[in-house]
Amino acid sequence: MSKRNSQAAKSAARERLRIEREKQAKKDKARRQLIVAGSVVGVLAIAGGVGFAVVKANEPGYWEKAADQKLVKPANTSGAQGTTVVIGKDDAAKTLKIYEDPRCPVCASFEQNVGETIDQDLKDGKYKLQFVGASFLDRGLGGEGSKNALSALGAALNVSDEAFMAYKSALFSVENHPEESKDEFAKDSKLIEIANQVPELKGNSAFKKDVENGTYDKWALEMSKVFDDNKDGVEGTPSLVMDGKKVTAEGSENAPQTPEQFNAAVDKALKG
């Protein structure tokens, strides 16, 4: 092969190499543009998703919205917010105030042991009973069972005093009361199922509708405020108060947990 042919071959080879490099450079540029474009779309998608999540996180929850609802006061209540709930004979001289949280296991034990005694005392006109509902366990444990059960109690109270007392007893019963860590009362279906054990509420379509529609949700929140802002020095449940003084078991700071303890404590309070 001659020198001229060799140089021509080298020149041709260099030209082919230059062309290949230009093609590869164009491919690399196109690839980089696609990567950048994809990254931008990804960033925008992430930003959009984060933005959506932030918006959703800042939206008020169900019970926050309930606080802005129109207040519906159950029948058989009094007071500006309908949160004064007094059961018993009008001529009973004194009133025993009871503070209870529907999720409270100690309240359940109290009702199971002393509830029948209170029912008999009310029939005998020994005193009137004022109920104050609390929902602090929802805050402490998370969930909404206390508030939801209070709302259902409002629906029962709207039926009658008797339905309210019977339903409260059913909620706190051994058969129906869940462990405080289990938010069973957050389920409307559970509250309605228990209500079917109460003659006045069984198959009661108005009661069922009120529970499912949350008719008394705002009222439940207002009732909870009564507990939170109470002037009786009550911080836990169950708590009993008469004439502004706590009614406790002898030698204890807690509510009595047997009929004997209860009768002794209440008789002492009635005497002043």
Side-chain angles (χ1 to χ4, degrees), residues 16-218:
R16 287 195 300 271
L17 182 60
R18 182 186 66 78
I19 293 172
E20 288 298 323
R21 285 174 176 172
E22 286 181 355
K23 288 181 180 179
Q24 189 60 47
K26 288 179 181 179
K27 289 181 181 179
D28 291 343
K29 182 178 180 181
R31 187 183 298 111
R32 286 195 299 271
Q33 288 175 334
L34 287 173
I35 291 172
V36 170
S39 297
V40 170
V41 171
V43 169
L44 290 174
I46 292 170
V50 171
F52 178 76
V54 169
V55 169
K56 293 300 288 183
N58 288 328
E59 282 185 357
Y62 176 84
W63 287 95
E64 290 175 312
K65 292 178 181 177
D68 295 327
Q69 292 177 359
K70 180 181 177 181
L71 176 65
V72 180
K73 295 181 280 189
N76 306 303
T77 65
S78 59
Q81 306 301 316
T83 51
T84 301
V85 178
V86 179
I87 312 292
K89 295 184 176 181
D90 292 337
D91 59 356
K94 293 195 175 185
T95 300
L96 178 65
K97 190 183 293 185
I98 183 168
Y99 291 86
E100 294 180 310
D101 186 313
R103 290 177 71 179
C104 170
V106 185
C107 293
S109 176
F110 172 84
E111 287 283 345
Q112 292 159 20
N113 293 327
V114 184
E116 290 185 5
T117 301
I118 293 176
D119 288 342
Q120 188 60 52
D121 286 350
L122 294 178
K123 290 177 183 177
D124 295 341
K126 192 172 183 177
Y127 50 79
K128 292 188 285 287
L129 185 73
Q130 181 177 352
F131 171 79
V132 179
S135 62
F136 67 92
L137 284 176
D138 283 353
R139 296 193 296 270
L141 299 172
E144 56 189 76
S146 294
K147 296 187 288 291
N148 208 36
L150 281 179
S151 180
L153 281 166
L157 186 58
N158 192 62
V159 175
S160 71
D161 290 351
E162 293 76 17
F164 170 82
M165 291 295 289
Y167 187 47
K168 183 163 74 75
S169 178
L171 289 173
F172 282 123
S173 69
V174 174
E175 296 79 13
N176 298 322
H177 198 266
E179 296 177 22
E180 60 181 338
S181 60
K182 294 182 179 179
D183 199 23
E184 289 294 305
F185 289 165
K187 304 173 185 175
D188 291 345
S189 58
K190 181 66 174 179
L191 296 173
I192 293 168
E193 175 189 325
I194 295 172
N196 283 327
Q197 300 170 17
V198 178
E200 280 193 81
L201 302 180
K202 184 177 181 180
N204 188 317
S205 59
F207 170 84
K208 182 175 183 289
K209 181 179 178 181
D210 284 337
V211 172
E212 293 176 338
N213 290 350
T215 302
Y216 300 104
D217 287 353
K218 167 80 170 181

